[in-house]
Amino acid sequence: MSGVQASSPTSDLDRLREAACEAWIYGLPLIEIAATRASRAGFGGSLNTFGHMRNLANHKMRAVTTPNNDTLYTSAQIDLSAGPVTISLPASGQRYLSLALMDAYTNNFAILGTRTTGPDAVTFRLIGPHDTSEGPNTLRSPTNHVWALARILVDGPFDLEAARAVQAGISLQGPESSEAPVHARRSAPWNEYFTSLDALLVANPPPVTDLALLRRIAPLGLGQGDFDPARFNADQAAAIEAGIAQARTMIRTSGIGGVNWVDGWSYPRSDLGDFGQSYGYRAAVALAGLAALPPVEAMYMRGKGESRGLYDGAKDWRLHFPADRLPAVDSFWSLSLYEATPDGQFFFADNPLDRYAIGDRTPGLTYNDDGSLDIWIGHAHPGEGRESNWLPAPDAPFALFMRAYLPKAAMLEGDYRLPPVTAA
């Protein structure tokens, strides 16, 4: 095996290790989106075509981590390299609807729908970063690869068909695109991971604002389309592997997210969903909450749990909202429960009620005489008269996530805080 040089000073190996750590973290969102693009997020269909998930997500959905059970999903993986596409959204009236447009780095560069374009129908053109065409209702993507993900609120089982009718009105017209190439996954060996990352960086060039990081990872030779693992000798390969091991540890321990806990809940940072140069935070979100919306559209709060953000399902838990402390939202809120995978992702757990979330639209939700609300959480049945407010848990560790769509200023500015989850 040929190397860059016959022998590398320790400082050079240290720089290579640090570069590998940074590059692995920097590239993780591109790798995760590429995996979603290759599988089309479980929606079927080809590139530049919307696929519709016609039912609410349940415990069998494992395509994207932390799905919600509140909205129908409609998804398109878009390739703008062959030209622009035209997307139409139907009138949604009072129903919450959003279409998030994410670049290859998982940044939401635009969100259309209830909050921004209103309740009426809208049609717009989406163009690539180098497209010179203009026109009314034109949006420019920072990258040629775009993930368009729509969420359509379902206001209970009786509302499913009406929500599907709105969903069917979402359409896309544009040039045909070849199938998405299959890239390495995050678990791949370093040579495969960086070979794929090299190709993804060529297809989706980084912004100039990432230049400082790109200079730090330059020893790896990424982003030119000619990454060659064979150019590194055994010592250099070992340094790269050590850097990636460090990066994986940082991801697992969530040390790069900068979590801020208040009354047992973490609150999203202001740069969630449009991350700028917060590469570590962006990578952590790509792993545990891929396709997260910015706080102005939706806020995601995670319960602290007992250990590493997890609660014991064998115990009984209670979330009590005083009458004057119900979530401050202009649309809806829900509390979702997930089982955790060993690599830090979250999916719904099977349960006897087929209830994966509970919130302000849950049929039969019962409020106390004083207007307060109790939610009972755990594996065991909470007792007579409480089933309507029960969020069933597996007999195993689980995570809690609160979603607040179109949060009011009080929540966005930190004046409103969720009450703690306590032992029942």
Side-chain angles (χ1 to χ4, degrees):
M1 178 183 295
S2 62
V4 174
Q5 50 185 299
S7 62
S8 299
T10 301
S11 59
D12 288 347
L13 292 178
D14 286 343
R15 282 195 290 270
L16 192 60
R17 175 182 54 77
E18 292 168 359
C21 180
E22 278 204 272
W24 192 90
I25 290 171
Y26 181 81
L28 184 62
L30 286 97
I31 292 290
E32 292 298 300
I33 283 237
T36 303
R37 186 163 53 248
S39 68
R40 291 174 291 278
F43 290 80
S46 304
L47 293 177
N48 292 354
T49 303
F50 273 120
H52 302 298
M53 182 171 285
R54 303 276 289 166
N55 294 296
L56 295 174
N58 58 25
H59 64 283
K60 296 179 180 179
M61 181 184 174
R62 302 272 160 155
V64 179
T65 185
T66 54
N68 78 54
N69 184 246
D70 308 296
T71 69
L72 299 178
Y73 286 109
T74 286
S75 176
Q77 296 291 344
I78 299 171
D79 181 4
L80 297 172
S81 61
V85 301
T86 299
I87 297 177
S88 295
L89 296 181
S92 58
Q94 298 301 310
R95 182 185 307 278
Y96 174 82
L97 166 67
S98 66
L99 178 69
L101 300 173
M102 290 166 281
D103 66 20
Y105 296 82
T106 69
N107 294 300
N108 290 266
F109 63 88
I111 299 174
L112 305 182
T114 299
R115 180 178 62 86
T116 58
T117 58
D120 299 327
V122 61
T123 296
F124 67 98
R125 293 174 69 250
L126 181 63
I127 63 176
H130 307 299
D131 195 315
T132 59
S133 63
E134 297 292 342
N137 291 354
T138 296
L139 281 172
R140 184 180 299 277
S141 170
T143 60
N144 276 323
H145 291 158
V146 176
W147 184 7
L149 183 61
R151 297 166 171 91
I152 305 101
L153 179 63
V154 180
D155 197 16
F158 67 91
D159 187 46
L160 183 57
E161 287 302 322
R164 287 172 175 167
V166 173
Q167 181 185 46
I170 301 174
S171 65
L172 183 154
Q173 296 80 40
E176 292 186 3
S177 178
S178 58
E179 286 299 302
V182 176
H183 288 288
R185 301 299 181 100
R186 64 177 177 275
S187 58
W190 70 271
N191 56 323
E192 297 177 13
Y193 184 95
F194 283 142
T195 297
S196 285
L197 179 56
D198 181 55
L200 290 166
L201 290 171
V202 171
N204 302 281
V208 67
T209 47
D210 289 351
L211 187 56
L213 178 138
L214 297 173
R215 286 171 173 161
R216 292 195 299 270
I217 67 173
L220 291 166
L222 295 169
Q224 304 302 316
D226 58 358
F227 179 74
D228 181 13
R231 66 188 287 262
F232 300 99
N233 64 32
D235 289 341
Q236 293 166 337
I240 292 172
E241 290 177 341
I244 290 177
Q246 179 183 356
R248 285 177 169 150
T249 297
M250 293 170 69
I251 289 288
R252 283 197 303 271
T253 57
S254 299
I256 55 180
V259 175
N260 178 33
W261 299 101
V262 180
D263 290 337
W265 293 95
S266 68
Y267 286 81
R269 290 171 26 167
S270 60
D271 54 357
L272 175 66
D274 191 6
F275 300 94
Q277 283 62 60
S278 298
Y279 310 120
Y281 185 46
R282 186 177 72 182
V285 172
L287 178 64
L290 185 65
L293 292 164
V296 69
E297 190 73 26
M299 288 185 67
Y300 310 89
M301 285 71 69
R302 179 178 175 183
K304 189 173 185 179
E306 298 173 287
S307 175
R308 298 183 64 180
L310 299 177
Y311 298 85
D312 184 351
K315 298 180 180 179
D316 298 321
W317 303 93
R318 175 193 184 211
L319 177 58
H320 175 75
F321 290 100
D324 60 351
R325 290 190 64 192
L326 292 169
V329 296
D330 282 326
S331 188
F332 69 94
W333 64 267
S334 69
L335 178 69
S336 298
L337 187 151
Y338 302 95
E339 57 185 1
T341 66
D343 61 353
Q345 296 197 303
F346 301 97
F347 300 104
F348 291 131
D350 193 12
N351 67 82
L353 297 186
D354 291 330
R355 179 180 289 165
Y356 308 100
I358 194 166
D360 55 2
R361 297 157 299 105
T362 299
L365 193 69
T366 302
Y367 290 79
N368 301 317
D369 291 341
D370 62 356
S372 64
L373 176 66
D374 288 306
I375 296 177
W376 309 99
I377 308 160
H379 182 67
H381 193 284
E384 185 177 355
R386 294 180 172 178
E387 183 171 295
S388 61
N389 291 24
W390 177 33
L391 185 57
D395 189 12
F398 65 88
L400 290 173
F401 284 79
M402 174 67 75
R403 287 177 169 85
Y405 278 76
L406 303 188
K408 293 184 177 180
M411 182 173 283
L412 283 168
E413 296 169 6
D415 296 326
Y416 172 87
R417 298 295 189 182
L418 294 168
V421 176
T422 61

